[in-house]
Amino acid sequence: MESQASMAPTPRALPYYVAFSQLLGLTVVAMTGAWLGQYRGGIAWESALQFNVHPLCMVIGLVFLQGDALLVYRVFRNEAKRTTKILHGLLHVFAFIIALVGLVAVFDYHRKKGYPDLYSLHSWCGILVFVLYLVQWLVGFSFFLFPGASFSLRIRYRPQHVFFGAAIFLLSVGTALLGLKEALLFKLGTEYSMFEPEGVLANVLGLLLAGFAVAVLYILTRSDWKRPPQAEEQALSMDFKTLTEGDSPSSQ
């Protein structure tokens, strides 16, 4: 009874916004698969269709799963902080692995076809996002999951971790939009301006990508939807405040 009484209530509108974001995200993944299946021949590793592994993996990994990883601290509001941290980290690991498969697929495809690598704005942004994502995860693991990091260091780094997490997510969506436009121009050329069905479908996909990003960022930026500190977190905050005479850290 005491634990139930200490559970913070979920804001009334939050579940609806989370459900809407998931509907958008799943629609993005499904529409990406439909686009590749209907207009690009499907997906296979040992054929000319290997390239199609790249956009699907990147959308699943660096867009949908990354967005969901950012929402963990809004959805799981009353679970133990360490459990929530582990789930947050695991979702990022799955996103990274899937994105790595997509990255290997496009480089391997280019190698087999003799195409040049890393000449377009999309490819430059993609490599930047991938490197930043890996660094963000490694630093976050070192500070928040590795037992050697001090509590004071975690407090000082937390705002940077939150900011760069949201920034990398935005960069990921922007890079996906650049890649989508690049793929359409390569195949359709001037026919893109004639409202070809593939172009219309891909434009809708682009709008859904942007909508998913907006929904996730809106949930993240609502200060009243932040995960409330649990009892053990408040105790640690009070201990730290006593030792440093500083302010207690805000919840993530």
Side-chain angles (χ1 to χ4, degrees), residues 72-73 80-93 136-151 153-154 157-158 161 252:
V72 162
Y73 286 98
K81 186 65 174 290
R82 184 166 183 80
T83 301
T84 311
K85 284 182 182 180
I86 292 173
L87 178 59
H88 176 74
L90 284 177
L91 282 175
H92 279 306
V93 169
Q136 169 83 347
W137 190 91
L138 291 175
V139 176
F141 177 84
S142 301
F143 275 85
F144 299 114
L145 283 174
F146 192 73
S150 68
F151 191 65
L153 284 176
R154 294 178 185 181
Y157 174 65
R158 183 180 295 165
H161 183 74
Q252 187 168 358

Side-chain angles (χ1 to χ4, degrees), residues 8-243:
T10 300
R12 181 176 300 179
L14 176 59
Y16 297 102
Y17 277 92
V18 171
F20 179 64
S21 72
Q22 294 310 286
L23 178 62
L24 284 175
L26 290 172
T27 303
V28 163
V29 173
M31 188 170 287
T32 301
W35 167 54
L36 295 173
Q38 180 69 26
Y39 296 104
R40 300 296 170 120
I43 296 173
W45 191 267
E46 295 296 338
S47 72
L49 302 177
Q50 183 182 15
F51 177 84
N52 294 343
V53 175
H54 173 71
L56 183 61
C57 284
M58 292 305 181
V59 166
I60 294 174
L62 290 185
V63 176
F64 180 62
L65 286 181
Q66 183 182 183
D68 277 5
L70 298 180
L71 295 179
V72 162
Y73 286 98
R74 302 297 182 269
V75 176
F76 299 96
R77 303 173 57 80
N78 294 295
E79 286 70 21
K81 186 65 174 290
R82 184 166 183 80
T83 301
T84 311
K85 284 182 182 180
I86 292 173
L87 178 59
H88 176 74
L90 284 177
L91 282 175
H92 279 306
V93 169
F94 293 148
F96 176 80
I97 292 173
I98 294 172
L100 180 61
V101 172
L103 199 63
V104 171
V106 70
F107 276 107
D108 192 45
Y109 175 80
H110 283 182
R111 179 184 59 81
K112 292 175 181 177
K113 294 292 184 178
Y115 296 157
D117 293 316
L118 302 176
Y119 64 89
S120 66
L121 178 61
H122 167 68
S123 61
W124 285 26
C125 290
I127 291 298
L128 175 64
V129 165
F130 191 79
V131 171
L132 288 176
Y133 192 77
L134 176 60
V135 172
Q136 169 83 347
W137 190 91
L138 291 175
V139 176
F141 177 84
S142 301
F143 275 85
F144 299 114
L145 283 174
F146 192 73
S150 68
F151 191 65
S152 60
L153 284 176
R154 294 178 185 181
I155 293 171
R156 295 188 182 98
Y157 174 65
R158 183 180 295 165
Q160 285 77 24
H161 183 74
V162 173
F163 170 79
F164 282 109
I168 293 170
F169 173 67
L170 272 182
L171 286 172
S172 299
V173 174
T175 302
L177 292 174
L178 282 174
L180 184 62
K181 180 69 177 293
E182 185 178 283
L184 291 174
L185 291 178
F186 279 168
K187 182 181 178 182
L188 298 179
T190 57
E191 295 180 1
Y192 185 31
S193 62
M194 301 174 67
F195 292 93
E196 288 291 316
E198 180 181 0
V200 174
L201 176 66
N203 285 349
V204 173
L205 174 58
L207 291 177
L208 289 172
L209 279 165
F212 178 66
V214 170
V216 170
L217 289 177
Y218 179 76
I219 295 170
L220 291 178
T221 54
R222 282 287 298 266
S223 59
D224 53 328
W225 289 357
K226 287 184 177 182
R227 183 181 188 271
Q230 302 300 305
E232 66 273 16
E233 300 170 56
Q234 291 177 335
L236 285 173
S237 298
M238 291 303 297
D239 290 342
F240 180 75
K241 182 178 180 180
T242 302
L243 290 172

